[in-house]
Amino acid sequence: MGLFDFLKKKGDAPLAGADARPRPDDPLTAGPVTRLSLDTEAERERQREIARATAAKIDAIELEMASAIFDDDAWAGNRRPPAAAGAPPPDQDTDLLPGQDEVPDAAAAPSSAPIVEEAAILYANDQLEAAALLLRTSVHDQGTDRLPWWMLFDLVQIMGLEHEFESIAIDYASRFETSPPTYHPVADTSHAPDRQVSGAIPTATLSGRLDDGPLARAQLARAASPGPLVRFEFQAVTAVTAPGCALLLDALQALRKAGRELVLAGADHLVAVLRPMLAIGDRGAGEAPWLLLLELLLLTNREKDFEETAMDYCVTFEVSPPSFEAPRHAALSLAAGPATAGDRFLLPAAIRGGSAPLLAAIADHAALHPVLVLDGSRLARIDYAAASALAAHLRTLAQDGREVVLRDLNHPVAALLRLLGVGDRVRLYAHRY
């Protein structure tokens, strides 16, 4: 629940921008079906501007109040914290999202199930435009159910429609009176199966107090294992030290310069741990936490936040500000969730047909791990035949009592696998918005 939710009256109506007339030239809204009510495109844009301004004011007030409550010292005298990042807070809407012991089935209200299932089938048959059109013209009729919106967000990102995503995000923010989600490009699905990144992922899991001790060094050594991709888990970090920041900074910079692709689970959480340590004009924390923060912003391709923080660093240490250089591979940043012991098995960006080699590799990985964790963070496309084969394979692996978990799935994939009965034996977790 947001900071100001308790102030709302029970009878408050949703903002007028929640329902809007589709644009005739929009490929996702064109068609004979329309349930939207605003009369003109100008009125639609006016309502969106109101929604943007309202969201900005609420965010600014909440930030000011939270700072006053939890960080009084940071505002004493002439000290002030560095520029805040523009990413949404990692705990946003957690009361409406699957927890560690919940499967995503609970997120879908029964009234939305027909829409969700129909869109999942269209997605599985490679009819993404039709699935997006169905959801786009139906989300406003689904009451408080957010799952159709989440599916729509994933579909337009898979299709690379950033402008359309932002338009839907404004409608979503108006509808649910929350901060809109952020657009993230998905993995490239054009590679041939033998050229896609998949398999066991070296994983460095950092927890507790991050320092330069033997435990942190051992975890970061795992990140240096051979392979094109490496995963870091930061969600269990509770505090950091300057030597620990320097150690992690060296590891991240080395991997970036080597061209490795990174998955950063809980990156926003680590940023939130770092920021209270830093205040403009105060050198007490040393340079390492500042430089680690800048590295995280660079890896996740947040140029505006990087430049603002770089200027704060420049003022504090009286040095030239670092320059932003877009990484060769932008890191995939995931919301904080439960940490996973051991290496995950990364699913490829696209799975089509019977996919026998992939299923054999999963079986080999399962033989070495009592808990099989499949990482779906890069899985953008899966067709019906491949989903059916994967579902049967996972049910077989789970029959002998083995725990099988799929993490960070996009919502169309999660809905499709639930439709195929995978959730009866396998734990499914969709990513969070």
Side-chain angles (χ1 to χ4, degrees), residues 77-88:
N78 294 324
R79 298 171 70 239
R80 64 179 178 89

Side-chain angles (χ1 to χ4, degrees), residues 326-398:
R328 190 187 319 172
H329 301 290
L332 178 61
S333 180
L334 302 176
T340 303
D343 294 340
R344 297 184 177 201
F345 185 97
L346 178 71
L347 296 175
I351 310 176
R352 295 184 172 89
S355 56
L358 174 64
L359 300 182
I362 292 174
D364 291 342
H365 184 81
L368 302 175
H369 298 83
V371 177
L372 173 61
V373 181
L374 302 181
D375 188 318
S377 58
R378 294 172 64 85
L379 177 58
R381 307 289 289 271
I382 183 170
D383 64 25
Y384 192 88
S388 298
L390 178 62
H393 189 62
L394 295 181
R395 283 195 293 266
T396 300
L397 291 174

Side-chain angles (χ1 to χ4, degrees), residues 153 156-157 161-169 181-183 433:
F153 284 136
V156 296
Q157 286 180 108
L161 303 177
E162 183 174 0
H163 177 73
E164 176 66 19
F165 181 97
E166 293 174 351
S167 174
I168 299 168
T182 304
Y183 179 87
Y433 276 115

Side-chain angles (χ1 to χ4, degrees), residues 68-82:
I69 295 171
F70 299 112
D71 195 21
D72 290 339
D73 292 338
W75 297 91
N78 294 324
R79 298 171 70 239
R80 64 179 178 89

Side-chain angles (χ1 to χ4, degrees), residues 7-366:
L7 295 176
K8 297 173 187 172
K9 298 179 181 178
K10 292 183 179 179
D12 283 348
L15 294 177
D19 293 309
R21 181 178 301 278
R23 297 188 303 272
D25 59 345
D26 190 333
L28 296 183
T29 59
V33 181
T34 176
R35 301 182 178 92
L36 309 179
S37 60
L38 293 185
D39 292 332
T40 65
E41 178 64 23
E43 177 65 10
R44 175 184 174 88
E45 186 60 32
R46 188 181 73 84
Q47 293 294 342
R48 286 185 178 167
E49 290 298 331
I50 293 173
R52 292 189 186 100
T54 302
K57 289 179 181 178
I58 291 175
D59 289 346
I61 296 172
E62 287 185 347
L63 176 62
E64 183 176 353
M65 292 186 66
S67 299
I69 295 171
F70 299 112
D71 195 21
D72 290 339
D73 292 338
W75 297 91
N78 294 324
R79 298 171 70 239
R80 64 179 178 89
D91 60 345
Q92 175 178 313
D93 292 332
T94 53
D95 56 325
L96 296 170
L97 297 167
Q100 182 172 353
D101 297 320
E102 297 178 271
V103 293
D105 303 67
S111 62
S112 72
I115 295 298
V116 168
E117 292 179 0
E118 187 175 350
I121 294 297
L122 290 171
Y123 163 83
N125 289 320
D126 211 20
Q127 299 180 48
L128 271 65
E129 293 81 2
L133 176 59
L134 171 67
L135 292 167
R136 187 71 171 96
T137 56
S138 304
V139 288
H140 294 289
D141 298 329
Q142 302 307 309
T144 60
D145 185 14
R146 303 192 186 194
L147 182 55
W149 291 86
W150 298 340
M151 292 181 72
L152 181 58
F153 284 136
D154 285 336
L155 286 171
V156 296
Q157 286 180 108
I158 292 170
M159 292 185 286
L161 303 177
E162 183 174 0
H163 177 73
E164 176 66 19
F165 181 97
E166 293 174 351
S167 174
I168 299 168
I170 294 299
D171 291 345
Y172 178 84
S174 299
R175 177 83 172 191
F176 297 105
E177 298 180 345
T178 186
S179 299
T182 304
Y183 179 87
H184 294 290
V186 301
D188 184 6
T189 62
S190 61
H191 296 306
D194 57 349
R195 294 181 56 203
Q196 295 190 70
V197 177
S198 64
I201 316 172
T203 303
T205 303
L206 302 174
S207 60
R209 185 170 179 265
L210 175 60
D211 55 24
D212 61 346
L215 291 178
R217 292 183 179 276
Q219 285 296 321
L220 293 178
R222 294 169 60 83
S225 302
L229 187 142
V230 62
R231 178 186 178 93
F232 286 86
E233 295 194 345
F234 301 129
Q235 53 266 52
V237 174
T238 57
V240 297
T241 66
C245 289
L247 182 68
L248 177 57
L249 174 65
D250 289 343
L252 292 175
Q253 288 181 334
L255 291 168
R256 173 168 57 84
K257 292 175 181 177
R260 300 281 293 274
E261 292 190 54
L262 304 180
V263 176
L264 305 180
D268 288 339
H269 170 77
L270 181 56
V271 167
V273 172
L274 286 168
R275 285 197 180 278
M277 299 175 58
L278 312 179
I280 297 173
D282 184 356
R283 303 184 184 184
E287 292 190 55
W290 284 89
L291 295 174
L292 176 59
L293 175 58
L294 288 168
E295 183 69 17
L296 291 170
L297 296 177
L298 185 149
L299 285 171
T300 52
N301 207 27
R302 290 151 63 174
E303 184 173 1
K304 179 181 178 181
D305 297 329
F306 179 96
E307 291 176 348
E308 292 175 353
T309 304
M311 290 304 301
D312 295 339
Y313 168 79
C314 166
V315 171
T316 299
F317 293 96
E318 299 179 357
V319 296
S320 298
S323 58
F324 182 87
E325 297 179 4
R328 190 187 319 172
H329 301 290
L332 178 61
S333 180
L334 302 176
T340 303
D343 294 340
R344 297 184 177 201
F345 185 97
L346 178 71
L347 296 175
I351 310 176
R352 295 184 172 89
S355 56
L358 174 64
L359 300 182
I362 292 174
D364 291 342
H365 184 81

